[in-house]
Amino acid sequence: MTEEEVIELCAGHDFVYKTGNPEIMIYFGSSAVLMIRLNPDHTIGFPSHIEFYPSSRHWHWDQGNQCILFTDEADKKVIEKYAPPVVEAGKYISLVSLTKEHTRYVAYLTLNMYPAVQPAAELSRQRLMLIADKYLAANRVEINKYMILKRGEVVGLSGQNDWELINSAWQKLAHDSRIKHVCFSFSGLPPATVEIFSDELQFQLADNKNQYITGLRRNILLLLSQLLIKHNQQIMAEEKQPSPVLMLKDLIK
């Protein structure tokens, strides 16, 4: 494998850190899941905006030994070595550690296969309403009312089903740490009487007309991350997949 092939395979994918039990999420700080991105300029990006960073900051392809080297901030000392990226079961890319046993980075392909989110307005970067494009188009007047009331900005999400919408919402939140409060809706705008931006995690999943979750960005991002990872595990295990709303109810219990 060449360096160009490594970049082509890994570009645009966010890798989740896994060690020991593959179902366990690894956190850096109080709530952020450890994730990395192999940038084309050989730096390592951290899309989940963790509270502190691991010692590995750069990556390089060792052509002779066919492995990926992770180096320190000064880009001089080798910290870790990883095997060449491999697509497993056609569903995820795996980087297996050659330094630490039972450790790897995994990029779930379904997290990166959909179009990027297109904002419907300039974002306040503090409060954000995430909603499907089809509801955005159908509720122009209500959305203007939300903006006038300063309930936050509204972003339309592209997607043909709930899983694509969840993936789009996850991408938006993972890549913008300036957002503080979030409301993610499955089925149109919540009633105007609902205070949709709060520090505490709140949700309404019983009413088919008003299904939403709201809270701090880090809590909503964590919830959507757990939901997508569980969904991917069920796909790989070829298990029957309940609706995302039912899975959310189980996670929030």
Side-chain angles (χ1 to χ4, degrees), residues 135-180:
Y135 297 115
L136 188 69
N139 293 278
R140 295 288 184 189
V141 175
E142 290 186 53
I143 284 176
N144 288 336
K145 192 182 298 182
Y146 267 78
M147 288 183 172
I148 291 171
L149 294 174
K150 296 182 180 180
R151 289 186 177 273
E153 302 292 349
V154 181
V155 166
L157 303 175
S158 59
Q160 299 301 314
N161 55 54
D162 284 344
W163 288 114
E164 293 185 12
L165 295 175
I166 291 169
N167 177 77
S168 293
W170 180 91
Q171 287 192 48
K172 181 61 198 172
L173 298 181
H175 296 106
D176 196 339
S177 62
R178 292 169 290 185
I179 300 167
K180 183 177 180 181

Side-chain angles (χ1 to χ4, degrees), residues 190-201:
T193 55
V194 174
E195 178 51 58
I196 58 174
F197 297 110
S198 66
D199 288 347
E200 295 183 5
L201 183 66

Side-chain angles (χ1 to χ4, degrees), residues 16-249:
V16 181
Y17 182 73
K18 296 286 185 178
T19 185
N21 187 330
E23 295 185 1
I24 294 177
M25 302 292 290
I26 307 299
Y27 301 95
F28 265 39
S30 60
S31 61
V33 177
L34 174 56
M35 304 175 68
I36 66 166
R37 184 179 300 149
L38 303 184
N39 297 322
D41 65 355
H42 296 286
T43 59
I44 295 177
F46 299 95
S48 56
H49 302 287
I50 51 184
E51 294 177 15
F52 58 93
Y53 295 92
S55 54
S56 298
R57 298 297 184 84
H58 298 80
W59 72 273
H60 296 279
W61 174 245
D62 185 334
Q63 182 70 34
N65 294 308
Q66 289 287 292
C67 63
I68 298 175
L69 307 178
F70 283 12
T71 60
D72 62 5
E73 190 167 10
D75 199 13
K76 294 181 179 180
K77 181 182 178 181
V78 175
I79 304 296
E80 297 174 279
K81 297 181 181 180
Y82 286 84
V86 176
V87 178
E88 299 187 27
K91 297 185 175 79
Y92 56 98
I93 303 171
S94 183
L95 299 177
V96 178
S97 176
L98 301 175
T99 310
K100 299 178 182 178
E101 191 175 7
H102 306 304
T103 299
R104 66 177 59 196
Y105 279 98
V106 177
Y108 297 91
L109 295 178
T110 54
L111 293 182
N112 303 96
M113 64 186 294
Y114 304 117
V117 177
Q118 297 297 324
E122 290 296 320
L123 303 182
S124 67
R125 305 299 184 186
Q126 292 294 311
R127 299 187 297 181
L128 192 66
M129 164 75 76
L130 299 170
I131 189 171
D133 280 330
K134 62 180 179 180
Y135 297 115
L136 188 69
N139 293 278
R140 295 288 184 189
V141 175
E142 290 186 53
I143 284 176
N144 288 336
K145 192 182 298 182
Y146 267 78
M147 288 183 172
I148 291 171
L149 294 174
K150 296 182 180 180
R151 289 186 177 273
E153 302 292 349
V154 181
V155 166
L157 303 175
S158 59
Q160 299 301 314
N161 55 54
D162 284 344
W163 288 114
E164 293 185 12
L165 295 175
I166 291 169
N167 177 77
S168 293
W170 180 91
Q171 287 192 48
K172 181 61 198 172
L173 298 181
H175 296 106
D176 196 339
S177 62
R178 292 169 290 185
I179 300 167
K180 183 177 180 181
H181 294 99
V182 178
C183 179
F184 172 58
S185 174
F186 286 93
S187 53
L189 291 168
T193 55
V194 174
E195 178 51 58
I196 58 174
F197 297 110
S198 66
D199 288 347
E200 295 183 5
L201 183 66
Q202 299 182 29
F203 55 93
Q204 168 57 263
L205 300 173
D207 185 350
N208 290 334
K209 294 181 180 179
N210 293 296
Q211 295 177 329
Y212 63 89
I213 53 176
T214 181
L216 292 174
R217 167 189 169 271
R218 63 174 181 266
N219 294 331
I220 300 299
L221 182 59
L222 175 59
L223 197 58
L224 296 183
S225 297
Q226 292 174 327
L227 191 63
L228 286 167
I229 288 171
K230 184 67 175 177
H231 178 53
N232 275 276
Q233 289 172 343
Q234 291 176 335
I235 290 175
M236 289 184 281
E238 298 183 352
E239 297 176 354
K240 183 179 179 181
Q241 300 170 39
S243 72
V245 171
L246 289 177
M247 291 175 66
L248 264 175
K249 289 179 181 179

Side-chain angles (χ1 to χ4, degrees), residues 1-13 38 40 59 85 93:
M1 178 174 278
T2 65
E3 181 176 298
E4 289 74 18
E5 290 172 331
V6 173
I7 293 175
E8 183 178 359
L9 182 58
C10 296
H13 293 290
L38 303 184
W59 72 273
I93 303 171

